[in-house]
């Protein structure tokens, strides 16, 4: 059985992550370490959110760029950081936010949202009222998609990250001057 370690990366864990990657200090024989970006929802806090201009973020992505004895992966929320700080990642290996484009979330109370992190339920559609296809094609989902479509129109890397997270702009690891969102 292949073992993957999921590692939440935030203010409280980035230094350890950098050190462990530098020293190859993960258990021998693992398949991969998958980094998940800390989000300020649920039990997550705003104080633990990483900032694009934090030098440790650049150091972390330098380690992502390096060779390891195991695979290194990341959730799509890391893609703006990879686009901005990595030089050895093949663009075809990047998969930006799929919310409302290739995936969605359905809660236990039958509410469909483009992303499970839509804690404010700004883009929710009730599956008690609509079928999945109608929810997918709803104005709410289209508004979510439009936030991605309209983000950062002047950026040359826009197609790779689509402006990052349309729900929580504070987690987008980009400090480019072309960073621009529509509301």
């Amino acid at each position: 059985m292949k073992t993957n370690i999921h590692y939440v990366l935030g203010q409280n864990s980035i230094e350890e992550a950098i050190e462990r990657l530098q020293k190859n200090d993960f258990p021998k024989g693992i398949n991969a370490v998958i980094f998940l970006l800390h989000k300020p929802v649920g039990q997550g806090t705003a104080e633990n959110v990483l900032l694009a201009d934090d030098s440790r973020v650049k150091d972390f992505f330098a380690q992502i760029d390096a060779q390891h004895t195991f695979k290194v992966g990341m959730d799509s929320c890391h893609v703006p950081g990879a686009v901005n700080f990595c030089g050895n990642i093949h663009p075809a290996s990047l998969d930006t936010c799929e919310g409302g484009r290739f995936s969605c979330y359905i809660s236990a109370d039958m509410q469909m949202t483009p992303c499970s992190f839509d804690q404010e339920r700004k883009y929710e559609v009730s599956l008690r009222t609509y079928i999945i296809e109608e929810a997918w094609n709803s104005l709410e989902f289209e508004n979510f998609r439009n936030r991605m479509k309209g983000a950062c129109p002047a950026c040359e890397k826009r197609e790779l990250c689509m402006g990052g997270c349309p729900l929580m702009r504070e987690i987008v690891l980009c400090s480019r001057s072309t960073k621009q969102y529509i509301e």
Side-chain angles (χ1 to χ4, degrees):
M1 182 182 306
K2 293 183 178 184
T3 301
N4 294 329
I5 296 172
H6 288 182
Y7 194 112
V8 178
L9 192 70
Q11 291 283 347
N12 64 346
S13 62
I14 191 167
E15 289 172 16
E16 177 187 353
I18 293 167
E19 183 177 337
R20 293 188 89 161
L21 286 166
Q22 285 173 336
K23 294 181 177 179
N24 198 23
D25 186 30
F26 284 97
K28 301 297 179 236
I30 63 167
N31 179 57
V33 177
I34 311 299
F35 290 96
L36 308 172
L37 190 61
H38 171 87
K39 291 127 184 120
V41 296
Q43 294 181 1
T45 63
E47 296 78 33
N48 202 25
V49 171
L50 290 170
L51 303 174
D53 58 358
D54 183 333
S55 64
R56 298 174 304 167
V57 170
K58 184 177 181 180
D59 293 344
F60 169 76
F61 282 104
Q63 289 305 310
I64 295 295
D65 244 358
Q67 294 292 316
H68 301 283
T69 59
F70 47 85
K71 296 174 189 167
V72 176
M74 61 191 98
D75 64 6
S76 61
C77 303
H78 277 94
V79 169
V83 166
N84 287 297
F85 300 111
C86 290
N88 296 321
I89 292 179
H90 193 281
S93 70
L94 298 174
D95 191 12
T96 191
C97 178
E98 295 181 346
R101 295 181 320 116
F102 300 108
S103 67
C104 67
Y105 174 75
I106 300 174
S107 66
D109 61 348
M110 300 295 291
Q111 300 300 314
M112 187 167 131
T113 58
C115 175
S116 63
F117 294 110
D118 184 6
Q119 299 291 301
E120 295 177 9
R121 295 184 169 201
K122 183 175 180 178
Y123 301 99
E124 81 175 359
V125 178
S126 174
L127 294 181
R128 295 185 191 283
T129 306
Y130 301 98
I131 64 171
I132 290 175
E133 182 179 7
E134 291 169 332
W136 186 264
N137 293 318
S138 68
L139 180 60
E140 291 82 0
F141 270 60
E142 195 56 35
N143 287 340
F144 183 88
R145 291 181 200 107
N146 284 338
R147 289 189 79 179
M148 282 192 277
K149 288 177 189 172
C152 308
C155 183
E156 74 229 10
K157 306 267 183 167
R158 187 203 157 330
E159 292 302 315
L160 294 173
C161 74
M162 296 185 70
C165 182
L167 292 173
M168 293 169 271
R169 299 301 189 186
E170 67 271 25
I171 71 166
V172 178
L173 297 174
C174 179
S175 56
R176 291 174 178 264
S177 61
T178 54
K179 185 175 171 181
Q180 180 184 4
Y181 304 116
I182 63 166
E183 294 303 322

